[in-house]
């Protein structure tokens, strides 16, 4: 009958499924139960399990090989970043304001003293500058300098209101010892060393030298550690610098 046929087909289907399951579990089962003297085989003991285990071992081996390769050739380490040290400060600067300098405009021992002292300080590593007048003549002759003095710039030095401003030309040169020389040129006020027609003219030349030297340093953005004024002609440089009256 139809019901009998359907029941037989269902039994057959269950049998086929059971056979497939038993084949996956292995030969150690008979009728769904372990045979005597045997133990249930695990999944890895089957063909499918062995295949999956082989794939796992291959993946682990490849990973191990990659790990060994990384250990043998490690990536380059980043460069060691050391703290950036600030640059060393520049050596101190010393500025002489003098009416004389040997070889550039001198009539006596003051010019020789300034030249030797400036050279000695420069030899010790200091930055040394000398500011002095550029005299138009000296004893009837030209005040020649052993080094070429080039024009640097012009200055306008304020004087008393009745006189207005005095123009100055700044020349620049360097001695053999590395001392920088700045010459303030004015044919009207700096004709020759100590060539003053009257006390008022002498005082005007002294004011012009001191104020011109300070204006020069301001123009150069210089901040000397020491400002040395030599002789009475340059004596006003110190009070002018202290009170900012230039």
């Amino acid at each position: 009958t139809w019901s009998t046929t359907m029941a037989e087909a269902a039994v057959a289907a269950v049998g086929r499924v059971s056979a497939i399951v038993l084949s996956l579990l292995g030969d150690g089962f008979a009728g769904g139960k372990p045979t005597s003297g045997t133990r249930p085989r695990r999944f890895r003991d089957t063909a499918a399990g062995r295949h999956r285990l082989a794939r796992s071992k291959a993946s682990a081996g490849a990973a191990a090989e990659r790990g060994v390769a990384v250990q043998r050739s490690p990536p380059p380490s980043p460069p060691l970043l050391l703290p950036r040290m600030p640059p060393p400060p520049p050596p101190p600067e010393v500025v002489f304001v003098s009416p004389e300098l040997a070889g550039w405009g001198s009539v006596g021992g003051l010019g020789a003293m300034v030249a030797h002292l400036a050279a000695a300080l420069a030899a010790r590593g200091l930055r040394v500058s000398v500011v002095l007048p550029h005299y138009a003549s000296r004893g009837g002759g030209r005040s020649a300098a052993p080094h070429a003095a080039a024009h640097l710039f012009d200055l306008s030095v304020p004087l008393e209101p009745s006189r207005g401003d005095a123009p100055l030309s700044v020349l620049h040169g360097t001695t053999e010892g590395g001392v920088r020389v700045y010459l303030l040129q004015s044919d009207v006020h700096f004709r020759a060393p100590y060539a003053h027609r009257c006390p008022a003219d002498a005082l005007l030349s002294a004011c012009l030298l001191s104020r011109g030297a300070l204006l020069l340093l301001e123009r150069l953005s210089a901040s000397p550690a020491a400002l040395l004024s030599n002789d009475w002609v340059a004596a006003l440089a110190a009070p002018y610098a202290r009170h900012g009256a230039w």
Side-chain angles (χ1 to χ4, degrees):
T1 63
W2 181 83
S3 59
T4 303
T5 304
M6 292 297 296
E8 292 176 355
V11 171
V14 171
R16 287 195 296 271
V17 172
S18 300
I20 293 173
V21 172
L22 292 176
S23 66
L24 292 176
L25 294 177
D27 299 331
F29 282 81
K33 296 182 180 179
T35 58
S36 60
T38 64
R39 60 180 179 83
R41 300 186 66 184
R42 292 174 294 182
F43 175 72
R44 68 181 183 180
D45 295 331
T46 63
R50 287 192 297 272
H51 179 67
R52 182 175 297 182
L53 181 61
R55 291 181 59 184
S56 300
K57 289 183 178 180
S59 300
E65 290 180 2
R66 288 196 299 269
V68 171
V70 170
Q71 292 178 0
R72 289 180 180 177
S73 58
S77 58
L80 182 61
L81 298 179
L82 298 176
R84 179 175 297 179
M85 301 300 293
E93 183 177 7
V94 178
V95 177
F96 290 84
V97 182
S98 173
E100 299 182 41
L101 180 64
W104 299 78
S106 178
V107 294
L110 176 62
M113 183 276 297
V114 172
H116 288 293
L117 180 57
L121 293 176
R124 290 180 174 268
L126 277 71
R127 294 177 296 160
V128 184
S129 302
V130 180
V131 183
L132 74 154
H134 181 272
Y135 298 110
S137 63
R138 182 184 61 183
R142 300 293 297 176
S143 178
H147 300 273
H151 179 267
L152 192 59
F153 48 75
D154 295 328
L155 291 176
S156 181
V157 181
L159 299 175
E160 58 187 37
S162 60
R163 294 179 178 268
D165 295 348
L168 288 180
S169 295
V170 180
L171 307 180
H172 176 254
T174 307
T175 67
E176 295 180 354
V179 177
R180 292 172 294 182
V181 180
Y182 297 96
L183 304 168
L184 305 182
Q185 185 179 21
S186 174
D187 295 338
V188 177
H189 301 283
F190 300 138
R191 295 180 298 274
Y194 309 104
H196 307 127
R197 294 170 293 187
C198 60
D201 188 31
L203 181 59
L204 182 60
S205 298
C207 293
L208 192 61
L209 173 60
S210 298
R211 288 188 175 182
L214 296 177
L215 286 173
L216 168 66
L217 297 178
E218 184 180 31
R219 180 77 172 269
L220 297 175
S221 299
S223 299
L227 180 66
L228 306 178
S229 56
N230 297 273
D231 209 347
W232 65 268
V233 182
L236 292 175
Y240 281 159
R242 175 172 295 181
H243 300 286
W246 69 85

